[in-house]
Amino acid sequence: MLIRTEIGVDAASIDSLLKRCFASAAEAELVQQLREDGLLTLGVVATDDEGQVLGYAAFSPVTLQGEDRGWVALAPLAVDETVRKQGIGKQLVYEGLDALNEFGYSAVVVLGDPAYYNAFGFEPAARHGLHCRWTGSEAAFQVYKLADDAFVGAEGQIDFAEPFNRFA
């Protein structure tokens, strides 16, 4: 299994993976729209020896109270059912966090299972006075600090990139 940044030729395989992993095509359409709009900050893939994408993590920009603070959202994260429980999702997240840290990003937000994401160091966003527009998401909305000063003066609503509004 090779973990690397996505390249153009991966798009069709990523699309296929997302359609297999989720109940609808919304996540595949979301990633395609983020890519078309130039809003895909980072895509990390896990490929087999033939180059088939078996895991994927997408990162896109978010704003805090309308301000760009160098934060991104992790969404979606997908691993093919045939290779789950092998730590691929963990590798994708860690690779993404490492790359974003190297690129100088400040923080990452995610809307997901706290039991899963707490293992990476994500913590409840509400602890820092942060929330998103989706009602009832308080427990699932989490944040990971990349820069030491990421939370200085950070409070309020986190807004995901516009394509998320079309598929939410």
Side-chain angles (χ1 to χ4, degrees):
M1 194 70 52
L2 175 66
I3 307 292
R4 61 171 173 74
T5 301
E6 77 169 274
I7 55 176
V9 72
D10 294 325
S13 192
I14 291 167
D15 188 67
S16 176
L17 171 74
L18 295 173
K19 287 177 179 173
R20 290 193 311 273
C21 289
F22 293 98
S24 76
E27 284 79 5
E29 292 169 12
L30 170 65
V31 169
Q32 183 178 350
Q33 193 64 55
L34 288 168
R35 196 178 286 123
E36 287 175 9
D37 292 351
L39 295 171
L40 191 60
T41 303
L42 175 67
V44 181
V45 294
T47 61
D48 63 15
D49 294 338
E50 287 78 43
Q52 182 70 28
V53 175
L54 297 176
Y56 183 65
F59 298 87
S60 58
V62 297
T63 58
L64 171 60
Q65 295 294 109
E67 179 186 348
D68 178 0
R69 296 179 56 112
W71 292 25
V72 296
L74 163 56
L77 172 65
V79 175
D80 190 86
E81 189 175 9
T82 63
V83 292
R84 287 191 186 146
K85 306 289 185 202
Q86 296 179 26
I88 294 169
K90 180 179 180 178
Q91 290 177 329
L92 289 166
V93 172
Y94 279 133
E95 181 67 27
L97 293 175
D98 286 348
L100 291 164
N101 188 43
E102 287 180 30
F103 296 153
Y105 287 89
S106 300
V108 179
V109 298
V110 70
L111 196 57
D113 179 7
Y116 183 77
Y117 289 101
N118 285 347
F120 300 107
F122 281 86
E123 57 183 322
R127 186 177 294 163
H128 300 283
L130 301 166
H131 61 276
C132 65
R133 72 179 187 93
W134 292 289
T135 307
S137 65
E138 291 78 16
F141 191 54
Q142 300 156 82
V143 65
Y144 181 91
K145 177 173 71 170
L146 291 169
D148 290 338
D149 64 349
F151 299 141
V152 174
E155 197 171 349
Q157 182 164 309
I158 299 288
D159 289 309
F160 287 60
E162 196 280 325
F164 280 88
N165 297 328
R166 296 182 217 160
F167 301 102

